[in-house]
Amino acid sequence: MDKKVKRYFQLKQKQKEIELEMAELRGEILSHCSEQSVSELETEKYRVKIVHQERKEYDEGKLFDAVPDLEVWRLLSRPDTSKIAGLVKLNVLTEEKLKDTYAVKNITLLQVDKK
């Protein structure tokens, strides 16, 4: 068991190092694309695409006030964006009712694919 725990610890350390290096490289790639004012870039062997998304982050208290029906609230149980979107599509909730219950957060995704 000691060997397994030791190996797990080693892998966890490598994971931290890899994640740190990936974050640095991601920042450099995003910076380069921003300086060049491009959202897509191709190198000899790779294709880079930057995707901007907006995500809604719901405030639980405001959401509870906007959804007074306890049966609907039980379906949510907590602010789950995909469940809320589903309830809006089913017309159980309306965008109008939810308009002040969330903040929009802009997210930048980096996609790198091999050609």
Side-chain angles (χ1 to χ4, degrees):
M1 182 52 87
D2 192 48
K3 286 181 182 179
K4 289 179 182 180
V5 172
K6 179 182 177 182
R7 183 66 181 146
Y8 181 86
F9 179 79
Q10 290 170 338
L11 290 172
K12 200 70 173 158
Q13 292 302 112
K14 279 185 184 179
Q15 180 183 16
K16 288 178 186 177
E17 292 170 14
I18 289 170
E19 287 175 353
L20 180 62
E21 184 176 355
M22 285 179 66
E24 289 173 6
L25 291 170
R26 179 182 189 279
E28 291 173 12
I29 293 168
L30 290 175
S31 178
H32 175 81
C33 289
S34 178
E35 289 169 5
Q36 301 297 314
S37 298
V38 295
S39 61
E40 293 187 23
L41 174 73
E42 290 196 22
T43 66
E44 188 176 321
K45 296 181 181 180
Y46 298 92
R47 185 174 335 196
V48 175
K49 186 175 181 181
I50 296 174
V51 179
H52 298 283
Q53 288 184 344
E54 288 185 350
R55 291 194 183 159
K56 295 178 180 177
E57 293 187 349
Y58 288 89
D59 179 293
E60 193 169 336
K62 290 179 182 178
L63 186 62
F64 185 76
D65 291 341
V67 183
D69 185 344
L70 290 179
E71 291 301 314
V72 174
W73 183 250
R74 282 192 197 106
L75 290 173
L76 297 174
S77 71
R78 61 180 172 79
D80 181 321
T81 306
S82 60
K83 285 183 183 178
I84 294 168
L87 291 172
V88 169
K89 282 185 181 179
L90 294 171
N91 293 320
V92 174
L93 297 173
T94 64
E95 285 288 343
E96 180 64 30
K97 228 178 197 182
L98 299 174
K99 72 178 181 182
D100 295 323
T101 64
Y102 59 86
V104 176
K105 183 177 181 183
N106 292 311
I107 305 292
T108 302
L109 304 175
L110 176 63
Q111 298 175 345
V112 178
D113 298 307
K114 200 166 190 174
K115 287 184 181 178

